[in-house]
């Protein structure tokens, strides 16, 4: 099967591409930089997928990349920390329309779009289901995902071969450019872990998420699928990070409302200068208000098992140390494991 993947040099897209190739499928990536994509896959020691230069905001390049493909995985997206409001809407709304409309026009058998729980976020976890209506957001990332969601649901109602996947926080090794969740993990190890109340969050291993998405792309499947991942209280996550890394975290008591306020202030300052911090109004909203959300039963039906978070965070931290994102001296357990191998 020939599958086109957008966001192929991003966190989710690159893992999807690798898993599809490992299963013997032909993978084509729509990339802005062929050189960057080639270097990334060569560094991993895996085959370089077919590369087509272009951008999802350019409908002609999208149509060219989709030609001759059987299915498409749309994983490209702007994030709260990595894009302006205008860029978020151009990529998350305009880019999604370009990819999906083009795939339908060309008659592709399967379309898989990677959305976000934020599009249907609710503080009451029981209300966050596949049938939950999109939740209007005052924040740009959330609202861009909502508008994209409304577009996709209209097409599903018309019977188009479309699957939407909603992950929670995504973590794991081999992240091409430290996505928001990985950046937050690095920040906690280096700067301290803010623990607020009895709260927590769900995070999914990128390898498990990629396995589920790849199954949809190859075997088909229409509908909406929630994959928020494993729920951990912040204290539980701090314990796991300490156990796997060997570091002694600085645990900082915090209040959710204060963190959300600080996130808004950081966003204002970020308009005028670069700030190396995972904090924003949007990230703090989800981090402090996240409920327990049920994972789709479709995971089990497709033999995708969510791995133990100790493995996920252990592998994630080991990868960041190996790549120089975190000083090895901060993670003695990682260094000890390497010495005993």
């Amino acid at each position: 099967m020939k599958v086109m993947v957008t966001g192929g040099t991003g966190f989710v897209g690159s893992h999807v591409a690798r898993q599809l190739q490992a299963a013997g499928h032909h993978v084509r990536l729509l990339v802005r930089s062929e050189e960057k994509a080639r270097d990334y896959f060569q560094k991993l020691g895996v085959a370089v997928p077919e590369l087509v230069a272009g951008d999802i905001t350019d409908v002609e390049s999208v149509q060219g990349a989709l030609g001759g493909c059987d299915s498409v995985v749309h994983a490209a997206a702007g994030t709260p920390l990595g894009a302006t409001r205008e860029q978020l809407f151009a990529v998350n709304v305009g880019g999604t329309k370009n990819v999906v409309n083009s795939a339908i026009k060309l008659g592709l058998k399967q379309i898989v779009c990677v959305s976000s729980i934020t599009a249907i976020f609710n503080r009451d976890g029981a209300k966050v289901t596949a049938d939950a209506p999109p939740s209007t957001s005052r924040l740009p990332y959330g609202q861009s995902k909502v508008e994209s969601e409304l577009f996709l649901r209209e097409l599903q109602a018309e019977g188009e071969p479309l699957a939407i996947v909603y992950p929670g926080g995504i973590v794991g090794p081999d992240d091409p450019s430290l996505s928001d969740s990985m950046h937050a993990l690095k920040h906690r190890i280096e700067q301290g872990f803010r623990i607020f109340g009895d709260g927590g969050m769900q995070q999914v291993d990128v390898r498990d998420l990629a396995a589920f998405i790849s199954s949809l792309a190859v075997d088909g499947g229409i509908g909406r699928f929630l994959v928020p991942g494993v729920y951990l209280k912040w204290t539980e996550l701090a314990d796991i990070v300490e156990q796997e890394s060997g570091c002694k975290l600085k645990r900082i008591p915090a209040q959710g409302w204060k963190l959300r306020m600080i996130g808004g202030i950081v966003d204002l300052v970020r308009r005028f200068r670069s700030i190396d911090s995972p904090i924003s109004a949007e990230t703090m909203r989800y981090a402090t208000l996240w409920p327990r959300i049920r994972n789709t039963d479709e995971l089990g039906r497709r033999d995708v098992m969510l791995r133990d978070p100790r493995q996920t965070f252990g592998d994630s931290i080991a990868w960041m140390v190996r790549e120089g994102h975190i000083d090895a001296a901060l993670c003695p357990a990682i260094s000890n494991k390497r010495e005993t191998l």
Side-chain angles (χ1 to χ4, degrees):
M1 176 174 273
K2 180 178 286 188
V3 185
M4 200 275 271
V5 179
T6 70
T9 56
F11 198 15
V12 176
S14 63
H15 277 269
V16 170
R18 290 165 60 188
Q19 291 200 22
L20 287 170
Q21 286 196 143
H25 301 287
H26 183 100
V27 177
R28 177 185 292 165
L29 304 184
L30 176 65
V31 296
R32 285 177 292 179
S33 170
E34 293 184 58
E35 181 180 5
K36 175 185 175 183
R38 188 174 295 107
D39 288 348
Y40 173 70
F41 286 95
Q42 287 177 342
K43 182 179 179 181
L44 290 173
V46 300
V48 178
E50 179 186 357
L51 304 177
V52 175
D55 192 294
I56 63 170
T57 61
D58 174 20
V59 68
E60 290 186 3
S61 65
V62 170
Q63 291 174 351
L66 285 170
C69 290
D70 302 297
S71 66
V72 59
V73 173
H74 178 43
T79 66
L81 299 180
T84 65
R85 179 183 179 87
E86 290 73 21
Q87 291 170 332
L88 285 170
F89 279 83
V91 172
N92 294 346
V93 182
T96 296
K97 289 182 177 181
N98 287 342
V99 172
V100 175
N101 282 333
S102 296
I104 292 171
K105 181 179 179 180
L106 293 171
L108 270 67
K109 299 176 183 177
Q110 178 72 3
I111 304 166
V112 184
C113 291
V114 183
S115 184
S116 169
I117 292 288
T118 60
I120 51 175
F121 185 78
N122 193 301
R123 295 174 62 175
D124 182 350
K127 295 181 178 179
V128 185
T129 69
D131 297 323
S135 52
T136 301
S137 174
R138 294 181 294 104
L139 301 170
Y141 172 75
Q143 189 56 30
S144 71
K145 300 302 285 187
V146 167
E147 292 192 18
S148 174
E149 180 74 13
L150 292 170
F151 162 73
L152 295 175
R153 290 194 181 195
E154 285 183 8
L155 294 175
Q156 282 188 326
E158 294 170 5
E160 299 296 348
L162 179 61
I164 311 174
V165 180
Y166 307 83
I170 306 169
V171 291
D174 299 321
D175 184 351
S177 55
L178 279 194
S179 55
D180 291 353
S181 293
M182 293 294 285
H183 190 198
L185 177 58
K186 166 182 163 69
H187 189 271
R188 287 167 181 147
I189 292 173
E190 295 177 339
Q191 305 295 329
F193 202 133
R194 288 173 171 79
I195 307 292
F196 27 95
D198 197 36
M201 194 169 181
Q202 280 164 280
Q203 302 187 74
V204 60
D205 192 298
V206 67
R207 295 165 291 188
D208 301 334
L209 178 62
F212 182 66
I213 292 170
S214 298
S215 174
L216 288 170
V218 172
D219 300 324
I222 299 172
R224 299 191 283 273
F225 307 98
L226 276 65
V227 191
V230 179
Y231 185 92
L232 292 171
K233 293 182 179 180
W234 292 118
T235 50
E236 293 175 322
L237 177 53
D239 290 342
I240 289 175
V241 170
E242 286 190 338
Q243 292 163 7
E244 295 299 320
S245 68
C247 71
K248 183 62 178 177
L249 288 173
K250 181 181 179 182
R251 302 194 186 201
I252 307 167
Q255 293 177 291
W257 70 268
K258 286 186 178 180
L259 290 175
R260 294 191 292 274
M261 181 181 68
I262 291 171
I265 294 171
V266 171
D267 283 349
L268 288 175
V269 176
R270 197 175 267 125
R271 293 182 182 181
F272 304 101
R273 63 184 178 89
S274 176
I275 299 179
D276 183 24
S277 170
I279 293 176
S280 72
E282 204 129 29
T283 58
M284 289 301 96
R285 178 186 181 226
Y286 304 128
T288 59
L289 299 175
W290 194 277
R292 293 177 185 265
I293 301 169
R294 179 182 172 84
N295 288 285
T296 177
D297 292 335
E298 195 69 18
L299 286 169
R301 286 192 282 268
R302 293 173 185 264
D303 294 324
V304 177
M305 301 296 292
L306 298 181
R307 65 194 72 199
D308 190 306
R310 287 185 291 270
Q311 180 187 356
T312 295
F313 285 95
D315 291 350
S316 300
I317 296 166
W319 173 78
M320 285 197 285
V321 169
R322 186 170 65 248
E323 293 298 311
H325 295 299
I326 297 177
D327 187 342
L330 294 174
C331 303
I334 300 298
S335 300
N336 292 340
K337 286 180 184 178
R338 293 166 66 180
E339 289 174 1
T340 57
L341 292 178

